[in-house]
């Protein structure tokens, strides 16, 4: 089954939300207290997805708010240089800073992220800074959940989703749940469900869908999709880590994508690389089952490398990994 988009658009994808800085531990297999050097990369889920999409050859744009400082300028320059249209990235004039994420790599299984997200510029994107003329140029609007955690960014997201629906732009909701960004789980569930019900495609881990449904125990995929299919979504992708991922269509089809084995360096970055490759495959006219393979292959490549944004793979790398695994499974 193929997924249809409006082809007559300038941009394949416009992402909206946070673009910040990742400072990834250069020394592995030790706690952050003993880590002395960090490498700087662009980070933030929607920024990473836009970067991954652009590296795969899609025409990507971005809507967001950057700090008026060296970090903000670094982010805009990097994103522009990888081919992303940055004309709708607004510069904050009220002194808010760029969000920072320090990563700790104790072991491949034990990674953590220390976030500095107090009063960050990206959460001050105002609804007035979301432009309908820009959004209507896209096939896809990619919204990520963290941008819903605070006003005025929250209202800017709701406006963007509304404008996308008005102009026949597919809304992709990447759940991107970061508990520390929210006041409580009730608030998360209210805004996640509000946006999920208006989206065309919803992508997240099983745990993120539990946050959307405000569950304290692990929910069942069938219950999740039955709820969402009463609303706008016609495709729901639920990821289960090493067990792979499942895609459910409103017409009743279920597809499973297996995870690819790799030498894992770190656990972060997988979700963003998964989303960019999955969406690339759908936009390129590939069927949902193939798109799941692209997502899984891309995720396995990124977790084997040091960064998230810089490590986003090429089409050749993804297709090479898929072909290699299919040769092994046939042989």
């Amino acid at each position: 089954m193929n997924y249809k988009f409006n082809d007559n658009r300038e941009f394949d994808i416009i992402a909206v939300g946070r673009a910040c800085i990742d400072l990834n531990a250069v020394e592995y297999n030790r706690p952050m207290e003993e880590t002395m050097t960090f490498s700087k990369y662009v980070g933030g889920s929607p920024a990473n997805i836009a970067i991954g999409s652009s590296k795969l050859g899609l025409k990507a744009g971005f809507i967001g708010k950057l700090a008026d400082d060296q970090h903000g300028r670094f982010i805009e320059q990097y994103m522009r240089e990888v081919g992303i249209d940055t004309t709708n990235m607004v510069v904050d004039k009220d002194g808010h800073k760029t969000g920072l994420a320090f990563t700790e790599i104790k072991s491949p299984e034990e990674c953590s992220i220390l976030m500095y997200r107090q009063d960050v510029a990206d959460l001050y994107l105002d609804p007035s800074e979301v432009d309908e003329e820009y959004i209507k140029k896209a096939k896809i609007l990619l919204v990520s959940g963290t941008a819903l955690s605070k006003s005025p960014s929250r209202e800017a997201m709701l406006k963007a989703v509304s404008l996308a629906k008005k102009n026949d732009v597919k809304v992709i909701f990447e759940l991107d749940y970061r508990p520390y960004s929210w006041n409580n789980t009730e608030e998360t569930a209210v805004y996640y469900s509000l946006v999920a019900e208006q989206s065309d495609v919803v992508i997240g881990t099983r745990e993120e869908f539990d946050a959307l449904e405000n569950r304290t125990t692990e929910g069942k995929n069938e219950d999740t999709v039955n709820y969402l299919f009463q609303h706008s979504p016609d495709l729901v992708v639920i990821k289960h880590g090493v067990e792979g991922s499942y895609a459910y269509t409103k017409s009743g089809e279920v597809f499973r994508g297996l995870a690819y084995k790799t030498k894992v360096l770190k656990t972060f970055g997988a979700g963003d690389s998964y989303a960019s490759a999955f969406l690339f495959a759908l936009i390129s006219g590939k069927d949902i089952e193939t798109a799941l393979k692209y997502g899984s292959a891309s995720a396995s490549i990124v977790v084997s490398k040091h960064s998230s944004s810089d490590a986003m793979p090429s089409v050749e790398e993804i297709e090479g990994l898929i072909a290699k695994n299919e040769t092994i499974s046939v042989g």
Side-chain angles (χ1 to χ4, degrees):
M1 176 184 168
N2 295 62
Y3 198 82
K4 298 288 181 243
F5 299 95
N6 191 327
D7 281 337
N8 188 27
R9 298 291 164 94
E10 181 182 341
F11 293 98
D12 293 303
I13 181 169
I14 291 176
V16 54
R18 78 186 188 284
C20 42
I21 296 286
D22 282 352
L23 292 158
N24 288 4
V26 171
E27 296 100 2
Y28 315 146
N29 305 323
R30 65 187 68 185
M32 200 179 296
E33 293 87 338
E34 296 170 21
T35 305
M36 302 310 291
T37 47
F38 298 83
S39 284
K40 180 175 72 171
Y41 303 103
V42 173
S45 179
N48 284 339
I49 292 171
I51 291 163
S53 301
S54 189
K55 287 189 172 184
L56 290 169
L58 296 182
K59 178 65 179 155
F62 199 86
I63 301 169
K65 191 162 234 179
L66 297 172
D68 188 11
D69 61 17
Q70 295 92 328
H71 288 316
R73 290 189 284 277
F74 167 77
I75 292 165
E76 189 279 330
Q77 181 181 335
Y78 179 90
M79 291 178 73
R80 181 164 34 86
E81 287 177 353
V82 297
I84 296 166
D85 178 77
T86 60
T87 57
N88 277 247
M89 295 181 82
V90 186
V91 176
D92 176 87
K93 296 300 181 190
D94 297 314
H96 301 115
K97 298 301 179 203
T98 302
L100 302 177
F102 288 84
T103 65
E104 173 182 67
I105 308 174
K106 283 185 179 176
S107 72
E109 297 78 33
E110 200 179 355
C111 298
S112 65
I113 302 177
L114 176 62
M115 303 291 282
Y116 289 75
R117 297 277 304 154
Q118 194 69 30
D119 262 358
V120 287
D122 59 84
L123 290 176
Y124 283 88
L125 181 69
D126 192 81
S128 65
E129 294 161 333
V130 175
D131 179 20
E132 180 171 7
E133 291 304 311
Y134 191 59
I135 286 175
K136 67 162 61 165
K137 293 178 180 177
K139 295 176 186 175
I140 283 176
L141 178 77
L142 184 284
V143 180
S144 84
T146 298
L148 294 164
S149 63
K150 295 275 189 299
S151 297
S153 170
R154 173 183 291 162
E155 289 73 24
M157 295 306 116
L158 296 176
K159 179 183 176 184
V161 169
S162 174
L163 292 174
K165 292 184 77 66
K166 176 183 168 188
N167 290 286
D168 192 25
V169 177
K170 295 284 187 188
V171 177
I172 315 292
F173 185 25
E174 217 293 339
L175 297 181
D176 174 42
Y177 178 50
R178 303 283 186 265
Y180 45 74
S181 298
W182 294 84
N183 291 326
N184 54 63
T185 55
E186 294 282 343
E187 182 189 53
T188 307
V190 166
Y191 290 102
Y192 267 40
S193 56
L194 183 67
V195 172
E197 287 171 12
Q198 297 181 69
S199 301
D200 297 287
V201 180
V202 187
I203 304 173
T205 63
R206 181 60 258 173
E207 294 79 12
E208 288 173 325
F209 279 98
D210 292 339
L212 185 158
E213 298 172 76
N214 202 19
R215 294 178 182 275
T216 50
T217 56
E218 186 172 310
K220 291 187 168 65
N221 289 2
E222 290 70 25
D223 294 340
T224 300
V225 297
N226 287 342
Y227 147 59
L228 287 173
F229 288 158
Q230 293 172 35
H231 302 278
S232 293
D234 47 24
L235 177 61
V236 176
V237 179
I238 304 178
K239 298 178 287 183
H240 289 262
V242 293
E243 294 170 38
S245 49
Y246 295 86
Y248 299 85
T249 70
K250 202 172 227 167
S251 55
E253 293 173 291
V254 182
F255 303 96
R256 185 177 182 192
L258 298 175
Y260 290 98
K261 286 189 170 62
T262 189
K263 185 170 169 44
V264 176
L265 170 65
K266 59 170 176 28
T267 52
F268 42 85
D272 303 334
S273 57
Y274 183 103
S276 58
F278 178 79
L279 294 172
F280 162 78
L282 288 188
I283 291 169
S284 303
K286 301 191 187 315
D287 59 41
I288 292 169
E289 200 164 11
T290 303
L292 289 173
K293 291 180 183 176
Y294 273 65
S296 295
S298 181
S300 76
I301 291 167
V302 168
V303 296
S304 71
K305 296 186 179 179
H306 188 250
S307 82
S308 298
S309 55
D310 250 16
M312 290 292 183
S314 65
V315 178
E316 291 72 26
E317 284 179 277
I318 291 170
E319 291 178 347
L321 181 59
I322 293 170
K324 179 179 161 190
N325 277 271
E326 286 178 350
T327 305
I328 292 168
S329 60
V330 169

